[in-house]
Amino acid sequence: MLTLQDVEVRYGSIQALSGVSLQVHDGEVVALIGANGAGKTTTLRAVSGLVRPARGKILFGDADLSRLPADQIAAMGISHVPEGRAIFANLTVLENLRLATFSRRDRRQVQEDIERVFSLLPRLAERRHQNAGTLSGGEQQMLAIGRALMLRGRIMLLDEPSMGLAPVLVAEIFRLLREINRQGTTLLLVEQNARMALALATRGYVLENGRVVLSGPSAELMANPAVAEAYLGAA
Ligand code: ATP
């Protein structure tokens, strides 16, 4: 479904990705793990068209995304939940969700999608008229995911959805992601919380200094002593 072939990204003189290749198949959950600065966020930004690769191909089905503008990529069914959530603090929960659909004319369908988001996220349903800025961190993260769901993407890119959340909320976010995947959305998940990410994912890739250094089924990665030591907090 999504294939990166030898993707390089530079920010000025900084080489953020030095030839990343990876694949995400339809229906999968794939985890991308790695230390700070490894290039995880940049990988997602390259897929979404927020940065341009200097080299390499990014294929979504047969289409090469690497020269397309971000809005066109989103319209093809790729939704991105960025790091730091980027919700509109002065708008209500409902307004944030509606904003994601401003270009859609199918009002009944939009209403159904909103109900779907609220059924997946009952906490948001209760707070639909609350300003997003007054939501807790976990609720804001749920709203960011809810907004991506409104785009009806085929694949969702998630950048550190567990960041800064208490363990009980992290567990709730991961339950939500599992359910979203079960309902048919493919997930590419960037996480520092490698243990949770690999528990959810079918496969994973480990990035170091802009390169994939390891990949495989999640269980295999979790059993790998180097991964356990570096990313799972084991001795
Ligand atoms: P983290 O887990 O800390 O978010 P990451 O794996 O997501 O890290 P990236 O954010 O992709 O890493 O960054 C990869 C490299 O690119 C880093 O060295 C970073 O400093 C650099 N970088 C990222 N964005 C920019 C930018 N806009 N300008 C210059 N350098 C950048």
Side-chain angles (χ1 to χ4, degrees), residues 11 14 16 35-42 83 160 192:
Y11 298 108
I14 294 176
N36 289 114
K40 305 180 297 297
T41 296
T42 301
E83 196 171 11
E160 310 242 7
Q192 297 244 6

Side-chain angles (χ1 to χ4, degrees), residues 2 47 52 58-60 63-68 73 76 78:
L2 178 69
V47 173
R52 288 273 162 250
I58 302 175
L59 300 171
F60 186 54
D64 188 353
L65 306 181
S66 56
R67 297 282 170 268
L68 293 181
I73 292 174
M76 290 169 79
I78 298 181

Side-chain angles (χ1 to χ4, degrees), residues 86-129:
I87 53 163
F88 294 93
N90 294 323
L91 299 184
T92 67
V93 166
L94 198 53
E95 287 164 343
N96 267 277
L97 294 178
R98 285 198 184 285
L99 209 58
T101 64
F102 74 94
S103 63
R104 287 172 52 181
R105 309 233 174 277
D106 48 342
R107 292 209 174 168
R108 243 188 51 206
Q109 187 80 64
V110 166
Q111 195 50 43
E112 277 175 30
D113 288 352
I114 287 178
E115 292 312 320
R116 172 178 175 233
V117 168
F118 284 152
S119 71
L120 275 165
L121 292 162
R123 266 168 185 276
L124 290 189
E126 287 165 24
R127 293 166 173 78
R128 66 180 78 196
H129 299 301

Side-chain angles (χ1 to χ4, degrees), residues 147-183:
R147 201 176 48 181
L149 283 170
M150 293 301 296
L151 298 174
R152 301 181 136 251
R154 291 173 52 209
I155 181 167
M156 193 182 284
L157 316 176
L158 294 130
D159 199 346
E160 310 242 7
S162 78
M163 189 164 62
L165 302 184
V168 52
L169 281 175
V170 173
E172 202 168 316
I173 294 284
F174 274 87
R175 264 200 305 279
L176 170 66
L177 296 181
R178 189 182 295 281
E179 179 58 23
I180 290 171
N181 176 250
R182 204 189 58 78
Q183 292 187 10

